Amino acid sequence: MADIVVLSKQLAELIAAGEVVERPASVIKELVENSIDAKADKITVEIQRGGSIYMRVTDNGSGIKKDDVKKAFLRHATSKIKSESDLYSIATLGFRGEALASVSAVARVELITKTKDEETGTRYVIEGGEEKLFEETGCPEGTTIIVRDLFYNTPARMKFLKKDATEATAVGSIIDAIALSHPEISLKFIKDGKLTLNTQGDGSLKSAIYTVLGREFASSLVPVDTETNGIRVSGMLCKPIYARPTRSGQYFFLNNRLIRSAAASKALDTAYKNSIMVGKFPAGVINIELPFDRVDVNVHPAKTEVRFSDEKAVFEAVYYAAKNALEAGDTRPELKLNTTVNYPKPTPKPFERMTTQEFRNKFSDDKPKTLAEEIYVDPKPVSNRLSDFPKPIIKPENTFVTQGEQTTIQAEFEVQKADIKTKVEEIVEFSVNDKKSEEQSVTYIGEAFKTYIIAQQGESIFLIDKHAAHERILFEKLKKEKTPEIQRLLSAEAVSLSRQEKDALLDNTDLLLKAGFEVEEFGSNSVLVRAIPSALSKKDVNLVVGEIASSLLSTGKAETEMMDDLYHSVACRAAVKAGNLQSSLELQKLASEVLLNEDIKYCPHGRPVAFEIKLSEIEKQFGRKQ
Ligand code: ADP
Ligand code: MG
């Protein structure tokens, strides 16, 4: 083994810097948090090319005294902690006096700062940890820090940076979070020369939400403010019907700092559980306030995942706060049942049609054979066996039925001179359809509450949710279409979105086109929609495009899944556009489509399309049968 040497100061700095500075977003987070600690109420963040070549944070905070400037860049130099007890009592998180030291170790940093008591300000330039300039300068009160060429001296780290757009999005998320947790600060974000976010700083959470997350979101909120177990939970949550397809709309803050907390997320899910659809997530901005000695502060400064000394207490506090808010604020009528219904997960089709080949595969040699099976199992060309066995004819009423794992044949075979192979395939197809129309024909009984179709099929009565069924059928239709039917809008429609959502849309214009949407960039917080699928009407544009944007935001989805999400959104709106189906002929048709198609069990959002009430159950209830 080689000799042990003590690393040079510079190398040690680089290693330490790696802990705090992962990417431009982590630099911005540290710098803006410093500005907030310095009591700034106006902060401007500017980045170029995702931040890797240029980042600037300007604030109107306290500034740094000339004598302290160099100290601020030393590792473990901080004005915020003086003793060990401060570690547990400070109202801030993760201070180690490391940010400026770390950033200046891996970039070219320029600081311009002035306190209100000083006549002149200070300009300090430090590159790769080495001082390059220290001079007096004229400047306004507050601090500007410019960080250029991040990782210029650590090429290995530079390689880990993602595309500029991705890094910019990460910075954007940090900025959004800060804007949401500090409505009292006016925050500007300039990306590649364009102002993309500008919050009022008027202290209202609602106005911060409006700016960051968009109008639609802001209009659907209920206020939250409850204290449980000495933990105050406040903020805004969306009503259940505005739940989102991903968790991207969830922001948790601990004493105003962005955190991730498994306990808090779980609590929200649980509070919304019976009010939202499968696959949808609550959204909102939640601040958790509790004494710092109840948080495990030993979390990494750059990481946001937080552990609480009493996770259960936090869970309960968030849960009750959300529950209270929803009960008070969500006026949507709720159907309450005595017993909870657990919707089954979509199961394999209980009844399925088989081709001859599939049928052959099902019957392996080790199963007992009937005469008919023997014929099909034989891998030899059919013609070779014809002399040994009588040729079968399959009657129209014959069916192959698969029930779970088990397959049964309902078929009779007779001797006939014909080509078995083609005959079988043709007739199998026919026999199944025929069986359906004979035994499973659907009788329309009526409509209840203008919402539910009542229909009878076989030995059961079905309650069908008209809208859910319609939606699902439209969804299947959209999915099948090769080229979508589109309509060009006479005047293009502008849709305002959060910046993240806008970026997500513009990154996926090809998928959108496939689904029938033509979308282009329009200003900092909106897109222009030029064409939409014919199934939609113009007044839907805002809602649908907003929904699509937020579903595209979650990364890591396969393209087909994203397309499905797009079709869901369109089908949902299109079903509304088509209005309530009213004539009994339409309803009869819908009922048949649903009940004769085993694939249609759930609406695209996962709600069941139909409930079954078995005749045997009814007879039991009436005491006709045990
Ligand atoms: P920490 O924030 O943990 O104290 P930093 O390295 O981020 O460590 O900052 C070191 C010190 O520099 C801070 O404690 C603070 O005194 C000073 N400082 C940094 N940024 C600013 C700013 N924008 N305005 C005023 N003071 C600042
Ligand atoms: Mg700091």
Side-chain angles (χ1 to χ4, degrees):
M1 197 169 295
D3 295 343
I4 295 177
V5 292
V6 175
L7 297 178
S8 71
K9 180 175 166 292
Q10 203 193 357
L11 205 51
E13 278 298 326
L14 287 180
I15 292 169
E19 302 247 301
V20 181
V21 181
E22 259 179 284
R23 59 194 301 192
S26 43
V27 175
I28 294 295
K29 175 170 179 286
E30 293 290 339
L31 297 183
V32 177
E33 285 182 349
N34 279 347
S35 297
I36 295 169
D37 292 335
K39 303 273 178 307
D41 64 4
K42 284 199 176 66
I43 302 174
T44 300
V45 176
E46 180 176 0
I47 62 167
Q48 277 167 27
R49 300 251 320 269
S52 58
I53 64 154
Y54 183 91
M55 293 180 261
R56 171 175 72 92
V57 175
T58 296
D59 68 50
N60 65 347
S62 64
I64 307 174
K65 277 190 293 204
K66 196 155 287 147
D67 289 349
D68 282 347
V69 166
K70 291 185 189 181
K71 262 192 264 167
F73 285 85
L74 297 177
R75 190 159 297 278
H76 305 305
T78 176
S79 55
K80 297 163 197 172
I81 305 175
K82 297 213 163 59
S83 67
E84 188 189 332
S85 64
D86 285 349
L87 260 186
Y88 307 105
S89 62
I90 45 166
T92 41
L93 252 186
F95 285 125
R96 284 143 195 240
E98 287 188 308
L100 293 187
S102 297
V103 175
S104 62
V106 291
R108 305 182 210 275
V109 176
E110 180 179 349
L111 169 88
I112 299 154
T113 186
K114 189 179 103 60
T115 62
K116 76 172 184 313
D117 299 331
E118 288 172 319
E119 287 287 311
T120 56
T122 309
R123 183 156 164 254
Y124 183 61
V125 177
I126 173 168
E127 297 181 354
E130 273 184 48
E131 176 180 325
K132 296 281 170 181
L133 183 85
F134 181 84
E135 63 176 18
E136 276 190 10
T137 185
C139 65
E141 214 176 293
T143 303
T144 288
I145 297 189
I146 298 170
V147 178
R148 294 188 176 87
D149 305 326
L150 184 65
F151 300 139
Y152 79 100
N153 54 351
T154 51
R157 296 203 134 253
M158 182 140 36
K159 264 194 233 144
F160 278 105
L161 288 180
K162 309 242 166 63
K163 280 190 305 191
D164 289 350
T166 312
E167 294 298 343
T169 303
V171 173
S173 307
I174 295 285
I175 303 282
D176 287 351
I178 292 168
L180 290 171
S181 56
H182 291 279
E184 77 285 1
I185 293 173
S186 163
L187 195 60
K188 280 198 178 80
F189 179 40
I190 301 165
K191 188 172 92 178
D192 294 318
K194 269 200 285 186
L195 179 66
T196 67
L197 185 84
N198 187 1
T199 64
Q200 301 262 323
D202 60 3
S204 136
L205 176 57
K206 203 159 180 190
S207 93
I209 290 178
Y210 186 102
T211 315
V212 176
L213 301 171
R215 174 160 48 96
E216 214 71 61
F217 192 88
S219 66
S220 71
L221 298 170
V222 294
V224 180
D225 199 346
T226 299
E227 191 173 320
T228 320
N229 306 328
I231 301 169
R232 182 171 168 215
V233 176
S234 59
M236 297 274 182
L237 284 173
C238 74
K239 291 182 184 171
I241 46 168
Y242 291 98
R244 304 197 143 193
T246 69
R247 286 186 196 279
S248 67
Q250 285 179 10
Y251 292 86
F252 292 105
F253 300 94
L254 173 63
N255 301 341
N256 286 325
R257 260 167 213 266
L258 180 70
I259 56 157
R260 274 195 308 247
S261 152
S265 287
K266 188 86 202 301
L268 265 200
D269 286 353
T270 314
Y272 276 71
K273 196 163 175 196
N274 290 320
S275 323
I276 51 179
M277 307 307 153
V278 182
K280 291 262 180 171
F281 299 96
V285 178
I286 289 291
N287 188 31
I288 302 168
E289 286 167 72
L290 83 170
F292 265 85
D293 57 8
R294 294 175 68 177
V295 187
D296 182 354
V297 286
N298 255 339
V299 281
H300 192 282
K303 299 274 187 301
T304 49
E305 185 78 43
V306 164
R307 262 175 299 134
F308 296 95
S309 54
D310 188 352
E311 292 266 297
K312 190 162 161 275
V314 172
F315 175 93
E316 283 175 359
V318 174
Y319 173 79
Y320 287 119
K323 260 289 194 222
N324 283 347
L326 291 179
E327 265 161 33
D330 182 22
T331 50
R332 192 164 63 94
E334 204 184 318
L335 178 72
K336 292 221 166 84
L337 296 171
N338 280 338
T339 47
T340 2
V341 182
N342 281 326
Y343 302 135
K345 291 266 173 302
T347 43
K349 288 179 259 174
F351 183 92
E352 100 192 351
R353 210 157 62 199
M354 291 169 118
T355 64
T356 314
Q357 191 54 50
E358 287 167 340
F359 176 71
R360 284 182 186 177
N361 294 344
K362 273 264 172 190
F363 292 87
S364 60
D365 273 331
D366 52 16
K367 287 191 184 156
K369 292 186 183 80
T370 66
L371 172 67
E373 284 165 9
E374 180 102 345
I375 295 172
Y376 291 101
V377 167
D378 193 335
K380 276 185 266 168
V382 171
S383 58
N384 288 358
R385 306 283 305 185
L386 283 182
S387 53
D388 307 341
F389 289 98
K391 291 168 199 160
I393 180 168
I394 297 177
K395 291 182 174 175
E397 64 270 22
N398 296 336
T399 349
F400 307 126
V401 180
T402 315
Q403 202 92 41
E405 286 294 286
Q406 205 189 352
T407 302
T408 51
I409 332 164
Q410 298 170 352
E412 264 175 44
F413 298 93
E414 283 176 4
V415 180
Q416 198 219 21
K417 296 211 186 301
D419 178 276
I420 295 168
K421 197 163 168 273
T422 56
K423 196 93 188 169
V424 168
E425 271 173 12
E426 267 168 30
I427 297 174
V428 166
E429 179 104 8
F430 170 67
S431 67
V432 171
N433 288 339
D434 189 68
K435 179 158 177 78
K436 278 201 167 172
S437 58
E438 261 177 32
E439 280 184 23
Q440 311 203 322
S441 72
V442 175
T443 314
Y444 171 76
I445 297 174
E447 189 190 5
F449 312 115
K450 297 206 166 88
T451 309
Y452 306 105
I453 303 171
I454 306 170
Q456 182 184 330
Q457 183 195 33
E459 298 273 86
S460 293
I461 286 176
F462 288 86
L463 284 178
I464 301 168
D465 180 322
K466 202 161 75 164
H467 179 76
H470 194 192
E471 203 175 303
R472 179 62 197 243
I473 286 164
L474 289 171
F475 172 71
E476 296 294 332
K477 186 167 158 264
L478 290 171
K479 262 179 83 158
K480 277 197 199 102
E481 277 172 5
K482 290 256 152 42
T483 44
E485 280 178 35
I486 65 160
Q487 54 175 317
R488 220 145 257 299
L489 300 176
L490 283 178
S491 60
E493 179 91 4
V495 178
S496 74
L497 298 159
S498 79
R499 210 186 43 261
Q500 313 287 324
E501 288 172 336
K502 187 195 81 177
D503 290 347
L505 274 186
L506 296 176
D507 283 349
N508 288 295
T509 42
D510 47 338
L511 293 192
L512 289 166
L513 261 184
K514 239 162 98 180
F517 293 92
E518 259 182 61
V519 169
E520 62 190 51
E521 184 155 20
F522 184 60
S524 59
N525 254 26
S526 43
V527 293
L528 210 57
V529 181
R530 296 207 174 274
I532 56 175
S534 301
L536 297 179
S537 69
K538 190 173 170 185
K539 66 175 172 32
D540 300 329
V541 172
N542 246 287
L543 213 72
V544 178
V545 172
E547 187 178 321
I548 288 174
S550 97
S551 86
L552 286 174
L553 253 187
S554 71
T555 48
K557 276 197 217 165
E559 187 177 316
T560 47
E561 203 183 333
M562 299 213 272
M563 283 312 292
D564 270 4
D565 286 350
L566 290 185
Y567 292 136
H568 284 174
S569 305
V570 175
C572 175
R573 277 287 107 192
V576 174
K577 177 191 170 188
N580 267 347
L581 302 176
Q582 249 142 34
S583 77
S584 46
L585 207 68
E586 285 171 325
L587 295 175
Q588 153 93 61
K589 188 164 163 266
L590 194 62
S592 300
E593 267 182 280
V594 168
L595 297 178
L596 294 178
N597 187 342
E598 290 287 341
D599 285 337
I600 300 184
K601 281 220 182 69
Y602 297 87
C603 80
H605 301 106
R607 280 191 292 136
V609 163
F611 274 110
E612 180 176 4
I613 309 166
K614 290 207 166 81
L615 172 61
S616 56
E617 271 304 307
I618 297 174
E619 286 177 326
K620 257 194 229 157
Q621 294 293 328
F622 283 109
R624 285 169 175 269
K625 255 188 191 170
Q626 280 310 303

